[in-house]
Amino acid sequence: MIEMFAYPKELRPKDLKKISKYDCDEKIKDAYIKYLTNYSFNEFVRYCEDSDGALDDLIFKFTDLQLERFEPNSLIWVSHVLINFLIYFDVNLDYGYCYDAYASALQFSVLFLAMNMLVEKLSFDEVELSQHSINCFEKLFNKCPDFKFNLENDCNLAYKSFNNDFDFTGEEFYLKVKECIDRLPHVGL
């Protein structure tokens, strides 16, 4: 299985010390440490200070802006899209937006499978969901135990959201995700 990125990036003690001494809103520091360690702290602070809006919206907009640095559809760009889906998942789950967190986990999973197949030259049968996907589903169902969803429909929507012809179908994606979720001890479909 490919490891195209590390999320979240672990901060060194000297980075944490620098952030703690920085003169800005503590909520900005906390949000950076919790969600955005893969990106520049100084840029995030400047973005927040120059922009209006709720902190969760600023996080989403900031991560989207980071993609403009890379050639669309390049491996580094796709890696950052994957990171952004994980950030969206974490932020949405923390803010209580369970369905949006779930959708982010599904979109991450579709793209990760497609990229893993492409880079590793694997068939769909050979590729597995990433540990990040499994962790997202576990966190989601632990935090939102009464969450109601239509997995087959939602998997197909996530698949179609890319408007791309991957080497697998939305139905095949659904079956792979269903198999993963069925193995989680406390989730009943």
Side-chain angles (χ1 to χ4, degrees), residues 39 60 62-67 79-89 104:
Y39 295 116
F60 296 141
F62 177 78
T63 57
D64 288 344
L65 284 173
Q66 301 311 299
L67 295 177
S79 295
H80 281 276
V81 170
L82 288 166
I83 289 168
N84 286 0
F85 280 135
L86 293 173
I87 292 169
Y88 303 159
F89 172 83
S104 296

Side-chain angles (χ1 to χ4, degrees), residues 7-25:
Y7 174 80
K9 179 181 163 192
E10 202 160 319
L11 294 174
R12 300 171 300 184
K14 77 178 204 173
D15 297 326
L16 290 168
K17 186 174 181 179
K18 178 182 162 189
I19 290 168
S20 71
K21 292 182 179 188
Y22 199 89
D23 183 28
C24 71
D25 188 316

Side-chain angles (χ1 to χ4, degrees), residues 24-74:
C24 71
D25 188 316
E26 289 298 317
K27 289 180 183 176
I28 293 172
K29 292 178 189 180
D30 293 343
Y32 176 80
I33 291 169
K34 189 166 188 177
Y35 306 115
L36 297 170
T37 56
N38 290 73
Y39 295 116
S40 164
F41 173 69
N42 292 338
E43 287 180 33
F44 179 61
V45 170
R46 276 194 305 276
Y47 181 79
C48 288
E49 290 175 345
D50 293 344
S51 304
D52 292 324
L55 189 55
D56 58 332
D57 289 332
L58 293 175
I59 292 168
F60 296 141
K61 290 175 185 173
F62 177 78
T63 57
D64 288 344
L65 284 173
Q66 301 311 299
L67 295 177
E68 294 177 6
R69 298 174 170 206
F70 309 107
E71 181 67 32
N73 299 319
S74 66

Side-chain angles (χ1 to χ4, degrees), residues 13-189:
K14 77 178 204 173
D15 297 326
L16 290 168
K17 186 174 181 179
K18 178 182 162 189
I19 290 168
S20 71
K21 292 182 179 188
Y22 199 89
D23 183 28
C24 71
D25 188 316
E26 289 298 317
K27 289 180 183 176
I28 293 172
K29 292 178 189 180
D30 293 343
Y32 176 80
I33 291 169
K34 189 166 188 177
Y35 306 115
L36 297 170
T37 56
N38 290 73
Y39 295 116
S40 164
F41 173 69
N42 292 338
E43 287 180 33
F44 179 61
V45 170
R46 276 194 305 276
Y47 181 79
C48 288
E49 290 175 345
D50 293 344
S51 304
D52 292 324
L55 189 55
D56 58 332
D57 289 332
L58 293 175
I59 292 168
F60 296 141
K61 290 175 185 173
F62 177 78
T63 57
D64 288 344
L65 284 173
Q66 301 311 299
L67 295 177
E68 294 177 6
R69 298 174 170 206
F70 309 107
E71 181 67 32
N73 299 319
S74 66
L75 188 55
I76 188 79
W77 183 85
V78 172
S79 295
H80 281 276
V81 170
L82 288 166
I83 289 168
N84 286 0
F85 280 135
L86 293 173
I87 292 169
Y88 303 159
F89 172 83
D90 286 338
V91 172
N92 281 316
L93 192 61
D94 286 349
Y95 278 77
Y97 306 131
C98 294
Y99 187 82
D100 291 339
Y102 165 70
S104 296
L106 289 175
Q107 288 179 305
F108 169 85
S109 299
V110 168
L111 187 56
F112 185 89
L113 288 172
M115 289 309 301
N116 200 5
M117 289 171 61
L118 179 69
V119 172
E120 296 291 328
K121 302 194 182 347
L122 299 171
S123 71
F124 188 72
D125 292 336
E126 296 171 304
V127 73
E128 295 180 19
L129 285 176
S130 76
Q131 190 60 48
H132 285 298
S133 295
I134 296 165
N135 294 346
C136 286
F137 293 127
E138 286 177 341
K139 285 168 47 176
L140 173 70
F141 296 120
N142 281 332
K143 183 152 185 176
C144 308
D146 297 327
F147 179 65
K148 303 292 182 222
F149 57 98
N150 180 333
L151 186 62
E152 185 172 7
N153 184 58
D154 297 333
C155 283
N156 280 297
L157 286 173
Y159 175 85
K160 290 175 184 175
S161 72
F162 289 98
N163 197 24
N164 201 326
D165 186 21
F166 296 125
D167 287 337
F168 57 93
T169 66
E171 179 67 17
E172 289 172 312
F173 173 65
Y174 156 70
L175 292 172
K176 193 165 290 264
V177 173
K178 183 179 183 320
E179 180 183 321
C180 168
I181 290 177
D182 283 347
R183 286 191 301 242
L184 298 178
H186 52 283
V187 180
L189 294 178

